[in-house]
Amino acid sequence: MSNETQGAPPAQAAPKFTPAPPRKAPKTGMPTEGFLIFAGLPKAGKTRLGASIPGAVVIDLERGGADRLDGWVQEVNDLQTFREAMKWAIGDPKVKAIVVDSVDEVLDLLEEDILERHELGSMMERKEGVNTWQELRKQVNAMVKRFKTCGKLIVGLAQYKEPKLDAEGRLVVTHNLNAPGKIGPYLCA
């Protein structure tokens, strides 16, 4: 019998990262349908990025938010005009992508429409037989479904809410989409 101890198996070298070389794209072109959201802080370049998509029309609800863009910009001031502009853009074969600037403004218009129809002052106000938040969720779900199935690429631009800290520096409000109530997840569904 031997008094020698068996040594541990030799340690395996940690895998090394090797950067991949540049390659040719397996597929070419832009997506032609679906719904995506570009989100960021104000003046981060969301509108310019969306407008850079070939064949894109910008539906501008930000009242001057696209004032630095060359290109196809349709200014919209109310919900009915937004709906008409979307219908036109979806039906026009020259339009390859629709940039909605911004989803925040569309949500505000939907909210205003609900309040006006039910003669309410705020979404928190109660009225028998009216569930404002449920109605807003249904409208947002229907809008997102239409965006996803319309046969065009829809790019929704959304601003983030600034994160807020309490006096001790703890996060109170997270950095998230600027959407009323709990609508953000419905918008991103």
Side-chain angles (χ1 to χ4, degrees):
M1 211 164 163
S2 168
N3 286 350
E4 292 179 38
T5 60
Q6 284 204 2
Q12 294 201 356
K16 286 188 172 187
F17 171 76
T18 305
R23 65 172 193 173
K24 294 277 187 193
K27 297 180 179 179
T28 60
M30 291 293 296
T32 57
E33 58 184 70
F35 176 53
L36 58 96
I37 296 175
F38 292 163
L41 294 171
K43 301 299 177 198
K46 299 176 297 292
T47 306
R48 185 170 296 283
L49 181 60
S52 71
I53 297 169
V57 63
V58 176
I59 307 292
D60 180 22
L61 293 104
E62 295 258 319
R63 294 163 198 85
D67 57 357
R68 295 182 180 164
L69 292 180
D70 290 329
W72 207 352
V73 178
Q74 179 67 48
E75 292 188 0
V76 170
N77 296 315
D78 58 67
L79 186 57
Q80 184 58 38
T81 307
F82 171 72
R83 288 176 172 148
E84 291 171 11
M86 289 299 295
K87 187 176 180 179
W88 158 77
I90 289 168
D92 189 324
K94 293 182 297 243
V95 175
K96 304 302 179 201
I98 304 165
V99 179
V100 178
D101 188 9
S102 72
V103 171
D104 315 43
E105 293 292 331
V106 173
L107 294 174
D108 287 347
L109 292 174
L110 289 171
E111 193 175 319
E112 288 170 16
D113 180 62
I114 291 167
L115 295 175
E116 189 176 301
R117 280 187 291 107
H118 296 294
E119 299 175 345
L120 295 169
S122 82
M123 293 292 280
M124 302 310 268
E125 193 175 328
R126 297 288 163 241
K127 190 174 190 179
E128 182 144 352
V130 176
N131 185 330
T132 55
W133 292 109
Q134 183 178 41
E135 191 171 332
L136 182 59
R137 282 191 301 271
K138 283 182 180 179
Q139 287 191 33
V140 169
N141 281 338
M143 179 180 72
V144 169
K145 182 178 181 181
R146 177 75 172 128
F147 285 177
K148 288 179 176 180
T149 61
C150 72
K152 300 276 176 131
L153 176 62
I154 310 292
V155 179
L157 307 182
Q159 292 189 12
Y160 278 133
K161 290 180 185 176
E162 288 282 351
K164 293 190 179 153
L165 305 175
D166 66 12
E168 283 90 45
R170 291 181 299 231
L171 189 63
V172 180
V173 176
T174 60
H175 197 71
N176 58 23
L177 291 181
N178 188 15
K182 298 177 182 176
I183 290 298
Y186 291 91
L187 185 63
C188 299

